[in-house]
Amino acid sequence: MKTRPYFLTYLSALIVGILLIIFTGRTDLFRWIVIAAGILIIIPSAAAVINGIIPARDSNGMKIPKPWYIVLMGVAGIICGVILICIPGFFAAYIVYTLGVILILCGLAQIVYMSVTGSIVGTNKGFYIMPWLTFIAGIVVIFIGPRGLENIISLLAGIFLTVYAINGFLQMGATRQRENHKIRIR
């Protein structure tokens, strides 16, 4: 199983979690989060546009056409990112719910990942605690909402994203260690 996408997801969650913890209580925190999200959407979208425009070549040097929708999706991502950067106040009101959804999705993704790798190499049941807590925290954040609780919600989201990332890295290490151990036994 390829671990690079999981590693990048955990690394991103760790960075966002630490930044949320550090900047809790700052004025206009959610506006800056929306602006950062806009930038983080523009970067891969621009890469998709460039990748879609530059033709691929096969082993004989012949150009291989790429699907048209790669460029379209990249342009749509750039437009979405620019909108987020230009009018962050509008989206900042909804960022609390977005953080809640992110926590729910991160918890579910890690539960699924652990279920898949657990069936292959066995999983310590203790690793399931944090994904479930992350999932539950997401539900709580959505129900609490943005009214007057922005600092608490951003701190909780930061803590849970950080712990989610650490738990993911530990799970990846345990999975890799078990896979290496099984390879040596064979």
Side-chain angles (χ1 to χ4, degrees):
M1 174 172 281
K2 294 186 178 192
T3 58
R4 184 179 177 133
Y6 295 106
F7 177 79
L8 294 175
T9 300
Y10 296 144
L11 183 61
S12 298
L14 180 65
I15 291 169
V16 170
I18 290 172
L19 288 174
L20 282 172
I21 292 169
I22 291 171
F23 292 113
T24 295
R26 299 273 174 110
T27 56
D28 293 336
L29 172 68
F30 291 123
R31 287 177 52 98
W32 288 106
I33 291 173
V34 171
I35 291 170
I39 293 168
L40 290 174
I41 290 171
I42 288 173
I43 294 170
S45 298
V49 169
I50 293 168
N51 184 33
I53 292 173
I54 298 173
R57 297 192 182 270
D58 64 7
S59 59
N60 297 328
M62 300 293 293
K63 291 182 181 180
I64 301 172
K66 292 185 180 177
W68 58 270
Y69 56 83
I70 292 176
V71 174
L72 182 65
M73 288 173 42
V75 169
I78 291 171
I79 292 170
C80 183
V82 168
I83 291 171
L84 287 174
I85 291 171
C86 291
I87 50 174
F90 174 77
F91 296 100
Y94 300 102
I95 195 74
V96 171
Y97 298 112
T98 304
L99 287 173
V101 170
I102 288 171
L103 289 172
I104 289 170
L105 293 176
C106 285
L108 287 175
Q110 196 168 32
I111 290 167
V112 169
Y113 170 73
M114 289 175 17
S115 297
V116 170
T117 60
S119 65
I120 298 170
V121 294
T123 300
N124 182 344
K125 300 299 181 202
F127 283 121
Y128 281 96
I129 294 170
M130 279 317 300
W132 279 107
L133 288 177
T134 303
F135 175 78
I136 292 167
I139 293 172
V140 169
V141 164
I142 287 174
F143 281 112
I144 289 175
R147 292 193 180 120
L149 298 175
E150 290 178 349
N151 293 338
I152 293 171
I153 292 170
S154 64
L155 180 63
L156 282 175
I159 290 169
F160 275 98
L161 281 173
T162 303
V163 173
Y164 159 79
I166 292 169
N167 189 63
F169 286 133
L170 292 173
Q171 174 66 21
M172 285 177 61
T175 301
R176 181 173 284 147
Q177 186 177 21
R178 286 188 188 112
E179 287 173 348
N180 289 340
H181 180 71
K182 285 188 176 188
I183 290 172
R184 284 188 215 134
I185 292 174
R186 291 181 192 171

